[in-house]
Amino acid sequence: MRYKYILFFIILLTACQQKREVSTSFYYWKTVYKQNKVENQYLNQFHSKKFYVRIMDVDLDINLKAVPVAPINFTDSIPKNLEIVPVVFIVNEVLKTQSDAQVEQLAYNILAFVKSKVLQSGQKDYEELQIDCDWTATTRTKYFELLKKLKTNNKTRLLSSTLRLHQLKNQEKSGIPPVDKVLLMCYNMGNLRQYGTQNSILDVPELKKYAGENLGFYPMDIDVALPLFSWSVVFRNKQYAGISKRVSLSDLKKSALFSLQKDGLYLAKTDLPAFGLSRNDEVRYEESKVEDLKKTAEYLSSYLSEKPINLIYYHLDKNLLKNYEITQLEEIANILR
């Protein structure tokens, strides 16, 4: 009898020491795919098996017809060792205008378009399709119907959906999408338009308002996406004026162009047409800091199930990757294990 107890505790101890399996990959969110040595280095370092490639956006044309927007073109083939996961972003407004018949046709059109682009990428087929949509309570019925149609017409492949923090928290109102798994987007979580010095890309205290036990209670497998990007948020007369992708941190630190204010915002000293800025415009620089990514991983790790997960960094771009060492991104993945 004593040996049975000893065996039991050995099994229990072994189970407690087992690590969560974490597979790491990247999103590719550009309109032209061309192989890049630096980008391939990151994929190879992580032994990435999957590659999440945005195929197109779906938006409305002037006749309120759902059409593909900014589809990707492949000037190079995707490396043969990678399995492509096509990603389709659907603008929420599209769902507000579609009849049931149009939803069914949209599903058919998406699958046909995705198939042609996958072949263009040099891949023969795909095993998972991911749909990205910031659906709301008013569009959830149409969105879920679209997902069902996609699943019905694509039975041999996995179907996944992105999941934003408000959809995670408000499960009763937002509903649970009829898919095989979800991908939690851990970015764009703050109020971008609010004047001040907050970070709307990644804010751990803000994350804690939405996640926590909601992760453990979610009735579906959850993958995780973390941000590797930055941007400059512009305010004019303390009112949100947009995002300037042309203004870098090095530009903001040029004293001839900007002055750093006590509140942490940068003030344009003169008109800067090259950046789309006017004199006295204020700029808030936001970024995904390594220390915040680590804190996010630590927090998520304590609530996620022990099932294997995919960690996807957003996104694969040599200009963004230069801000992150491979060892730093590996450490973040290890925190989730």
Side-chain angles (χ1 to χ4, degrees):
M1 182 68 70
R2 184 179 63 180
Y3 293 110
K4 290 183 179 179
Y5 283 114
I6 293 174
L7 180 60
F8 171 76
F9 283 115
I10 289 175
I11 293 173
L12 183 62
L13 181 62
T14 302
C16 292
Q17 291 177 338
Q18 287 180 343
K19 293 183 177 181
R20 181 188 293 114
E21 182 182 334
V22 178
S23 301
T24 307
S25 190
F26 294 83
Y27 276 112
Y28 193 87
W29 217 262
K30 292 182 279 189
T31 55
V32 176
Y33 175 76
K34 187 174 183 179
Q35 285 202 37
N36 177 272
K37 183 177 180 180
V38 173
E39 294 170 3
N40 283 346
Q41 180 184 1
Y42 276 73
L43 288 165
N44 292 333
Q45 182 69 27
F46 285 106
H47 305 288
S48 297
K49 297 178 181 179
K50 295 183 177 183
F51 191 30
Y52 294 74
V53 180
R54 186 203 71 94
I55 298 298
M56 62 172 168
D57 295 351
V58 176
D59 204 348
L60 298 173
D61 64 10
I62 57 174
N63 298 314
L64 299 183
K65 180 181 178 181
V67 295
V69 175
I72 190 171
N73 285 311
F74 295 89
T75 58
D76 289 335
S77 295
I78 289 176
K80 297 298 182 182
N81 63 313
L82 292 174
E83 170 197 326
I84 186 173
V85 179
V87 182
V88 175
F89 174 73
I90 300 177
V91 177
N92 191 41
E93 291 297 316
V94 170
L95 301 168
K96 296 178 180 179
T97 66
Q98 303 299 293
S99 66
D100 292 344
Q102 287 174 319
V103 168
E104 186 169 4
Q105 183 63 45
L106 177 58
Y108 176 83
N109 292 345
I110 288 173
L111 292 177
F113 198 91
V114 165
K115 182 179 180 179
S116 67
K117 283 297 178 181
V118 167
L119 292 174
Q120 188 187 105
S121 77
Q123 302 278 312
K124 293 182 180 180
D125 204 349
Y126 62 96
E127 295 183 7
E128 177 185 348
L129 170 65
Q130 185 174 102
I131 305 299
D132 179 16
C133 180
D134 188 8
W135 85 88
T136 59
T138 56
T139 59
R140 87 177 224 188
T141 299
K142 287 290 174 65
Y143 180 56
F144 288 7
E145 187 60 31
L146 174 64
L147 294 174
K148 290 176 184 177
K149 296 295 183 184
L150 289 170
K151 187 64 178 174
T152 299
N153 295 313
N154 215 22
K155 291 180 179 179
T156 61
R157 303 176 180 91
L158 290 175
L159 181 64
S160 61
S161 171
T162 55
L163 183 72
R164 285 159 177 79
L165 288 172
H166 71 89
Q167 296 158 347
L168 172 66
K169 181 178 180 179
N170 304 310
Q171 294 179 27
E172 184 175 348
K173 185 178 180 180
S174 297
I176 307 298
V179 293
D180 298 298
K181 64 193 310 186
V182 292
L183 183 285
L184 181 63
M185 295 172 53
C186 296
Y187 47 90
N188 296 359
M189 58 184 64
N191 187 347
L192 174 71
R193 297 171 178 269
Q194 182 177 325
Y195 179 79
T197 56
Q198 75 275 11
N199 187 339
S200 66
I201 296 177
L202 183 60
D203 185 342
V204 179
E206 189 71 16
L207 171 66
K208 291 180 178 179
K209 296 177 183 178
Y210 291 86
E213 293 182 349
N214 291 315
L215 281 170
F217 292 146
Y218 205 80
M220 195 177 299
D221 290 346
I222 298 179
D223 289 332
V224 172
L226 294 178
L228 299 181
F229 65 91
S230 59
W231 57 31
S232 296
V233 187
V234 180
F235 295 92
R236 186 164 295 158
N237 298 320
K238 294 184 169 49
Q239 298 296 314
Y240 173 76
I243 295 175
S244 177
K245 296 182 179 179
R246 290 176 283 177
V247 183
S248 66
L249 183 58
S250 60
D251 293 323
L252 292 171
K253 289 184 175 181
K254 293 177 181 178
S255 58
L257 304 179
F258 298 92
S259 61
L260 179 61
Q261 307 300 292
K262 291 181 180 180
D263 60 4
L265 298 181
Y266 292 87
L267 182 72
K269 291 184 173 181
T270 185
D271 290 344
L272 298 169
F275 298 135
L277 299 177
S278 301
R279 185 171 181 265
N280 292 328
D281 280 353
E282 295 176 276
V283 179
R284 179 177 71 222
Y285 182 75
E286 300 182 359
E287 60 183 331
S288 310
K289 296 180 180 179
V290 171
E291 54 265 34
D292 288 334
L293 290 168
K294 290 180 180 179
K295 290 177 182 177
T296 299
E298 290 171 355
Y299 176 74
L300 294 175
S301 183
S302 62
Y303 289 100
L304 289 168
S305 74
E306 293 304 311
K307 294 181 180 180
I309 67 168
N310 292 302
L311 167 63
I312 303 101
Y313 287 114
Y314 179 90
H315 62 113
L316 192 70
D317 182 290
K318 65 177 182 179
N319 294 320
L320 298 176
L321 294 175
K322 66 184 179 182
N323 299 315
Y324 305 91
E325 298 176 8
I326 289 179
T327 53
Q328 292 175 323
L329 300 187
E330 286 179 327
E331 185 178 349
I332 293 164
N334 285 332
I335 291 173
L336 285 169
R337 289 189 171 96

